[in-house]
Amino acid sequence: MSARVLCIGDVMLDVITKIAVMPSQINYGSDTPSKISTHGGGAAGNVASWLTRTDARSTIVGHVGDDAAGAALMSEFDTLGVHHNNLMVDKGSSGVVVVLVDPTGERTMFPDNGANSGLHIGDLPALENFDVVYLSGYSPLDPLSRPGVLEMVAAIKSAGLPLYFDPASVGAMMEVPLEEVKSWIRLMDVILLNEEEAIYLTGETDSEKALESLLEYCETVVIKRGSQGAIGKARGSILISVPAISTEVVDTTGAGDSFAAGFIAQYAMTKNMQHGLEAGAAVAARCVAIVGARPRVGTVI
């Protein structure tokens, strides 16, 4: 049996700009050589895409514009096997994010939400067709999508489906009062976030202490630690830690999203934290070994 996962949130076109120098050495106001490529992106779109490389089945709820980028993004979903309906909207351009990748593989992002703004309750499909829901934090953090997304959350809770939530970047969270973000976390069953986000939300300086603090808001917490692996714990259980899988790091774009996909596919069906974290690490290792945030056609975990 495999999980049927509904992914709600952002769908973007990633413009990956790889530079051979550190950001401090960029020739501002002049030219800096780079290698540029375009790929599908957006946290929810990435999670949905990587879920297709697991035993799970995924459906994406989001918006793309009626433009060339939107058509390409929909075509990629079709090729990967991600289900979607009413993804393209008549007005607005598709969301785009410029991703600057330095020689260490670290990335800095410059997003333009575009058509991603304005999600509403009418975008939500029939919930009886799903076992679990993933929500990208970029959607409630967008003021134009927030009311509709919170309506969706209420409907999902009423249907009794477990909600997995990634609160997104600290930069995005800083635009919203901290207590409001915490109020959303209380509505979730599982929260997946990185160390920087966990420390920002709790004020702790240690990831394990941050995890314990977040358990006061949410039943299950997973903290992604990059090259240090991940830790996770459900209330009333023991802390589980797994290492990252050693691999050549080419590009960390989408690493956290791919981890989330692997974790959700496993944990949603077994509730086994050890196996869930290991599955997340396995998918993330495949993601960081390629350029871009999504699997290539034919990528197998």
Side-chain angles (χ1 to χ4, degrees):
M1 185 177 179
S2 60
R4 300 170 299 173
V5 186
L6 177 65
C7 299
I8 301 172
D10 47 324
V11 178
M12 306 284 279
L13 179 70
D14 286 353
V15 180
I16 308 292
T17 304
K18 296 192 69 176
I19 56 175
V21 298
M22 296 303 292
S24 61
Q25 298 172 297
I26 291 174
N27 298 320
Y28 288 99
S30 187
D31 294 346
T32 300
S34 63
K35 292 184 178 180
I36 299 175
S37 57
T38 57
H39 308 263
N46 296 340
V47 172
S49 297
W50 282 105
L51 280 164
T52 67
R53 306 299 94 167
T54 72
D55 292 334
R57 289 173 285 170
S58 65
T59 299
I60 182 71
V61 168
H63 289 163
V64 298
D66 184 7
D67 52 22
L73 290 165
M74 291 176 64
S75 177
E76 183 179 29
F77 283 142
D78 292 337
T79 301
L80 290 171
V82 176
H83 300 286
H84 59 86
N85 188 38
N86 299 324
L87 193 63
M88 184 174 283
V89 296
D90 294 333
K91 296 181 180 179
S93 57
S94 295
V96 178
V97 56
V98 176
V99 184
L100 183 68
V101 183
D102 70 25
T104 70
E106 191 56 68
R107 81 279 188 278
T108 302
M109 299 187 290
F110 304 87
D112 174 2
N113 277 352
N116 286 290
S117 294
L119 287 178
H120 54 83
I121 188 66
D123 293 318
L124 195 66
L127 294 173
E128 61 264 25
N129 298 320
F130 302 98
D131 303 304
V132 59
V133 179
Y134 164 87
L135 173 63
S136 163
Y138 285 107
S139 293
L141 288 169
D142 183 332
L144 295 179
S145 291
R146 190 174 305 147
V149 169
L150 292 178
E151 282 190 75
M152 291 186 192
V153 169
I156 293 162
K157 299 296 289 183
S158 179
L161 292 179
L163 258 168
Y164 289 63
F165 181 59
D166 187 330
S169 73
V170 168
M173 283 193 285
M174 289 177 67
E175 300 299 317
V176 177
L178 186 58
E179 289 306 313
E180 185 169 0
V181 178
K182 289 181 178 180
S183 74
W184 305 338
I185 295 173
R186 293 185 186 277
L187 302 172
M188 308 302 164
D189 298 282
V190 180
I191 181 174
L192 303 107
L193 68 174
N194 64 29
E195 285 186 292
E196 182 186 13
E197 293 154 1
I199 288 168
Y200 172 76
L201 285 168
T202 63
E204 300 286 355
T205 56
D206 175 82
S207 59
E208 292 189 13
K209 290 180 180 179
L211 185 149
E212 293 293 340
S213 178
L214 287 166
L215 283 171
E216 298 176 12
Y217 298 87
C218 186
E219 182 180 347
T220 303
V221 179
V222 172
I223 298 181
K224 301 166 285 185
R225 304 171 68 193
S227 61
Q228 300 301 310
I231 56 175
K233 184 178 179 180
R235 287 177 188 161
S237 67
I238 62 171
L239 179 75
I240 302 295
S241 176
V242 301
I245 295 175
S246 180
T247 187
E248 180 184 0
V249 176
V250 174
D251 177 11
T252 61
T253 308
D257 301 329
S258 60
F259 179 96
F263 177 83
I264 293 168
Q266 178 65 232
Y267 191 77
M269 304 309 295
T270 67
K271 295 299 184 290
N272 185 306
M273 182 62 71
Q274 180 79 36
H275 292 171
L277 295 177
E278 290 173 349
V283 180
R286 296 304 301 269
C287 177
V288 300
I290 60 176
V291 175
R294 295 187 185 171
R296 297 169 181 163
V297 176
T299 297
V300 176
I301 304 303

